[in-house]
Amino acid sequence: MSGAASQNGMPLTALKGVGPRLAERLAKLGLHCVEDLLFHLPTRYQDRTRVVPIASLAAGEPAVVEAEVVGMETVGRTRRSFLVRVSDGSGTLCLRFFHFGPQLQAALKTGTRLRIFGEVRPGLSGLEIIHPEYRALDEEDSGETALTPFYPSTEGLHQISLRKLTDEALKRLPLVPDWLPADIAAAHGFPDLHGALRLLHRPPPDVRLEQLADGQHPAQQRLAFEELIAHQLALRELRLRLQRQRAQPLAADGLRQRFLAALPFPLTAAQQRVITEIDADLAQPKPMLRLVQGDVGSGKTVVAAAAVLAALASGAQAAVMAPTELLAEQHLRSFTHWLQPLGIRVEWLTGRLKGKAREATLAALADGSAPLVVGTHALFQDEVSFADLALVVIDEQHRFGVHQRLRLREKGRAGEHCPHQLIMTATPIPRTLAMSAYADLDTSVIDELPPGRTPVQTVAISDARRAEVIERVRAACAAGRQAYWVCTLIDESEQLAAQAATDTAAALTEALAGLRVGLVHGRLRPADKEAVMAAFKAGELDLLVATTVIEVGVDVPNASLMIIENAERLGLAQLHQLRGRVGRGATASSCVLLYHPPLSEQGRARLAVLRESCDGFEIARRDLELRGPGEVLGTRQTGALALRVADLIRDENLLPAVQQAADRLLREAPQAAQALQRRWTGASERFGEV
Ligand code: ADP
Ligand code: MG
């Protein structure tokens, strides 16, 4: 990320104590020059000015104590450790070292007074700290003058080293140029750049820790503002460069008419409008960059197919990419179902396609004999080349970042044409956010659901009433309907989730004798997953037990009941997505949110939102209110936007000013604009190559 910056900054090896080995470790963190290090900010702080008595320590908490060494011993046969017992009069605490030598042993003699920092955990004989940080009290003068920062780190790089390094780097602070016009900073009450960086690396003890933790401190806001400007500029540049490129003008022909006529339903007015908007873009000799937002079930896939047909009508190729294999498989089925009757072959490509089949697909894409391919991000690997790629459809875009979009561009016919891009998402994005997150895109909204959908009846039920819920599944299936049972785990591995689903499937198979129960999770082989999904879709299974792999896109209209376990632990947007798997047919559908009591006040309020609303935009708005910043776009977890300090949602109030500042910099100080962009995105260079 900071590769560009390293070319014009002072190299890290200029700092005291940085040799080639340390430089290599720092490079792993993307740190190449002194400026990189200055922008490598702590993620949390500890107040080491507040010493606590040992007697009041509790396991799992960070501790700051002052105590005297009262004894020591070396223990253990295979894994030896050095134990130091310290006392402060209120109690004793054990310090455990696995790595130790004569130096350490000499430094911790009986009677030495220490200030000790670390996380307390339960040991064999009372509380202990493993490899604490410590400082002899009579060694240098006492007293901590700042809150202690903790930096993102990597293996073999200790916090103490990072603190020493940033101390050194802070001495070079005057070399770092401040690009933000002073009057803009003043208007927002921001400190200058140097003040902001100094504060964030070494906050004074009187700073409000909660404010820092929430990212609301003026020093953070100042950097966030700068970063958002950089991001905005990068996206605008991306857009400008793209618009200067040539694309193949595309127009649909009779084939699309035949496709639409063969659909078992008429398009909604919203679908028609969006297709018209897309057609107008496609007709241009410059690349389309359009984001289509539409709630779950609004029928985005048909719109994508209509766009694809415009590319094919012009004799060019199209690619459709989905974020997961399961969703890609679903698209493969839809497109094959719709387009095969028109004589169009649909190719398939994911990372797991191997051997002869893969070679054949790659060859067909390269020589142009395959007009359409559906797949995952594997579509954009280097080895995939297209004869004449004119359109790329990306489904559920919020999981893809600017960099992926850049890579995609390189897939156009070399040097001649850049593909048109159509990006689709069910994540509702408020307009100001869209302008910042996707400043390089035009947007369309499918703001209407197909007619005849009955809103999904949603209830929240304690998992103590599981037996009743199981009966409900039996009743629905007896009436010829199908059901999903979704097992969710938060922050757990795919493997654990798969295990939970497997166990649940076994239990439900037993409880629901006579019903055909299927199981799908992320660890199944693609062919097996495919087979289970196909069986469910064909009505050969009554109940599908699944992990959240079915979150997006899966479409089985006869499924009318969904059970979601541990609903209280999922985000509202995710629950809404999951729930969108039912209510796709004409029958009244319902969704049971199973929760594990007791439910917190907030948990209750959150589940109530889902009971009361089926509108993705409304749910996103309430989610934002209830959960606060950070997760509606799903960017936190995925790093899709790769923002370092700023948070598009938390800092939404800054966005209008950010846009203005970006305009002004471009007009009055293009060099500052460039430098800012390089500092924060490091991508300016790459954009330049496009
Ligand atoms: P999403 O926008 O969530 O991707 P899909 O494209 O999967 O939605 O469409 C959901 C379902 O609605 C599919 O079964 C699709 O065939 C159907 N559908 C799409 N458009 C219409 C329409 N205009 N009228 C009725 N059903 C439609
Ligand atoms: Mg979809």
Side-chain angles (χ1 to χ4, degrees):
M1 164 165 282
S2 315
S6 64
Q7 283 154 26
N8 46 30
M10 177 189 276
L12 281 168
T13 41
L15 293 182
K16 208 169 80 187
V18 183
R21 259 188 55 184
L22 183 51
E24 207 173 287
R25 285 192 186 144
L26 292 166
K28 271 198 201 137
L29 292 171
L31 307 177
H32 303 277
C33 68
V34 174
E35 183 168 322
D36 293 341
L37 193 56
L38 286 166
F39 283 86
H40 187 65
L41 296 170
T43 43
R44 64 186 181 87
Y45 304 91
Q46 187 183 28
D47 185 352
R48 294 186 167 180
T49 59
R50 265 171 241 161
V51 175
V52 284
I54 288 177
S56 72
L57 293 178
E61 281 178 10
V64 184
V65 298
E66 274 186 9
E68 190 176 311
V69 177
V70 293
M72 67 199 63
E73 60 181 322
T74 307
V75 298
R77 287 232 178 110
T78 45
R79 187 145 196 231
R80 280 155 50 82
S81 57
F82 179 54
L83 298 185
V84 177
R85 189 156 284 284
V86 298
S87 161
D88 69 350
S90 81
T92 67
L93 179 68
C94 192
L95 314 181
R96 185 184 291 273
F97 298 87
F98 293 109
H99 307 286
F100 58 97
Q103 234 182 355
L104 178 90
Q105 286 167 313
L108 298 179
K109 281 196 301 286
T110 307
T112 314
R113 283 181 47 74
L114 300 171
R115 185 174 281 207
I116 299 154
F117 318 98
E119 180 148 323
V120 182
R121 32 159 281 163
L124 285 178
S125 53
L127 294 178
E128 64 177 35
I129 304 183
I130 294 175
H131 280 272
E133 284 184 51
Y134 62 88
R135 183 164 61 70
L137 277 178
D138 22 329
E139 197 174 74
E140 346 167 336
D141 74 334
S142 62
E144 316 295 324
T145 55
L147 298 178
T148 305
F150 287 82
Y151 292 93
S153 189
T154 181
E155 206 179 314
L157 187 58
H158 201 275
Q159 288 299 329
I160 299 178
S161 314
L162 279 166
R163 281 177 217 140
K164 281 199 187 124
L165 284 170
T166 41
D167 273 338
E168 287 299 309
L170 283 166
K171 292 183 195 155
R172 313 290 209 286
L173 200 50
L175 299 177
V176 178
D178 189 341
W179 299 113
L180 193 64
D183 61 306
I184 294 185
H188 289 89
F190 293 148
D192 70 10
L193 179 66
H194 297 165
L197 287 174
R198 202 171 291 118
L199 183 132
L200 293 176
H201 283 287
R202 299 291 177 269
D206 61 355
V207 85
R208 282 175 48 208
L209 268 179
E210 320 82 74
Q211 203 181 27
L212 280 180
D214 292 346
Q216 301 288 8
H217 193 283
Q220 290 164 311
Q221 290 280 294
R222 139 95 215 197
L223 293 183
F225 192 79
E226 218 186 282
E227 181 176 30
L228 288 169
I229 293 178
H231 186 74
Q232 177 76 211
L233 290 168
L235 288 174
R236 286 194 203 181
E237 188 173 327
L238 184 64
R239 183 184 172 89
L240 274 178
R241 290 197 187 268
L242 206 64
Q243 282 181 332
R244 263 186 247 128
Q245 290 201 309
R246 302 193 57 74
Q248 196 168 337
L250 307 174
D253 62 4
L255 216 52
R256 185 199 275 169
Q257 247 90 63
R258 280 169 57 202
F259 157 66
L260 293 177
L263 286 176
F265 46 75
L267 295 181
T268 63
Q271 284 170 319
Q272 267 162 3
R273 172 171 41 76
V274 172
I275 290 174
T276 310
E277 287 166 359
I278 292 170
D279 280 345
D281 287 352
L282 292 178
Q284 302 296 315
K286 57 178 193 192
M288 166 173 78
L289 268 177
R290 188 165 286 277
L291 173 71
V292 172
Q293 298 182 58
D295 204 349
V296 175
S298 62
K300 294 184 288 295
T301 323
V302 172
V303 171
V308 162
L309 284 167
L312 304 198
S314 310
Q317 291 169 297
V320 177
M321 169 168 78
T324 65
E325 293 229 358
L326 198 72
L327 187 46
E329 284 158 14
Q330 171 92 27
H331 282 339
L332 177 68
R333 263 195 302 278
S334 304
F335 281 91
T336 307
H337 175 71
W338 288 329
L339 303 185
Q340 201 150 293
L342 303 176
I344 298 165
R345 201 174 90 209
V346 187
E347 294 291 335
W348 167 244
L349 186 67
T350 73
R352 299 207 212 183
L353 187 68
K354 296 276 190 288
K356 285 239 165 60
R358 184 179 193 85
E359 278 162 33
T361 302
L362 291 179
L365 293 174
D367 70 18
S369 57
L372 172 60
V373 62
V374 173
T376 57
H377 56 271
L379 285 173
F380 303 118
Q381 283 161 357
D382 288 341
E383 57 164 346
V384 186
S385 65
F386 294 85
D388 186 12
L389 182 63
L391 171 71
V392 173
V393 178
I394 302 174
D395 199 12
E396 301 303 340
Q397 133 76 21
H398 63 288
R399 302 186 184 203
F400 295 90
V402 171
H403 290 281
Q404 279 101 334
R405 260 185 273 149
L406 275 168
R407 184 138 9 113
L408 197 159
R409 176 115 23 92
E410 291 150 16
K411 293 292 176 196
R413 207 197 302 173
E416 279 182 64
H417 289 306
C418 173
H420 295 281
Q421 294 178 40
L422 178 63
I423 293 150
M424 304 191 297
T425 179
T427 307
I429 305 163
R431 205 182 131 63
T432 45
L433 283 187
M435 283 175 65
S436 286
Y438 305 112
D440 57 330
L441 304 177
D442 296 306
T443 53
S444 295
V445 184
I446 307 182
D447 50 8
E448 178 185 2
L449 291 180
R453 300 265 167 92
T454 38
V456 180
Q457 267 273 349
T458 303
V459 290
I461 295 181
S462 153
D463 61 13
R465 289 166 57 195
R466 207 180 169 85
E468 273 170 57
V469 175
I470 292 175
E471 281 319 302
R472 225 169 139 156
V473 172
R474 190 196 305 281
C477 295
R481 303 285 133 59
Q482 289 163 285
Y484 296 98
W485 191 294
V486 187
C487 303
T488 68
L489 290 175
I490 274 277
D491 283 341
E492 305 281 11
S493 68
E494 203 176 273
Q495 185 179 357
L496 286 178
Q499 189 56 49
T502 308
D503 295 346
T504 305
L508 288 172
T509 306
E510 201 175 301
L512 290 166
L515 290 192
R516 297 160 299 173
V517 180
L519 169 66
V520 61
H521 55 69
R523 298 190 42 106
L524 287 183
R525 291 215 320 271
D528 295 342
K529 236 184 321 187
E530 165 81 8
V532 175
M533 288 310 300
F536 188 63
K537 187 147 190 167
E540 292 154 13
L541 292 171
D542 302 300
L543 174 65
L544 184 64
V545 179
T547 58
T548 51
V549 294
I550 60 153
E551 182 180 337
V552 282
V554 172
D555 184 35
V556 180
N558 189 47
S560 67
L561 174 61
M562 167 165 284
I563 321 294
I564 305 177
E565 292 210 61
N566 299 319
E568 78 279 11
R569 295 201 265 156
L570 295 192
L572 290 188
Q574 193 176 13
L575 286 169
H576 179 62
Q577 283 276 355
L578 278 171
R579 178 174 63 176
R581 302 307 113 220
V582 291
R584 302 192 147 235
T587 32
S589 296
S590 44
C591 176
V592 176
L593 305 172
L594 272 184
Y595 63 85
H596 191 67
L599 205 50
S600 71
E601 193 65 36
Q602 219 220 20
R604 198 172 300 279
R606 280 158 35 72
L607 295 187
V609 170
L610 282 164
R611 276 193 282 120
E612 286 156 15
S613 178
C614 281
D615 173 345
F617 278 80
E618 172 66 10
I619 289 170
R621 199 182 59 70
R622 302 274 302 269
D623 200 16
L624 197 60
E625 276 171 19
L626 285 167
R627 272 207 302 180
E631 298 182 34
V632 172
L633 283 177
T635 52
R636 244 301 140 81
Q637 307 91 314
T638 61
L641 291 172
L643 290 172
R644 292 195 263 165
V645 180
D647 180 313
L648 278 177
I649 297 193
R650 179 193 69 208
D651 303 328
E652 195 185 350
N653 61 320
L654 296 178
L655 295 178
V658 163
Q659 312 239 358
Q660 281 172 16
D663 286 338
R664 186 175 138 189
L665 279 176
L666 277 180
R667 249 190 348 261
E668 295 173 7
Q671 262 144 347
Q674 268 245 321
L676 268 184
Q677 200 177 318
R678 204 174 310 125
R679 169 179 291 167
W680 287 99
T681 69
S684 164
E685 243 76 327
R686 274 206 68 188
F687 292 174
E689 291 160 14
V690 172

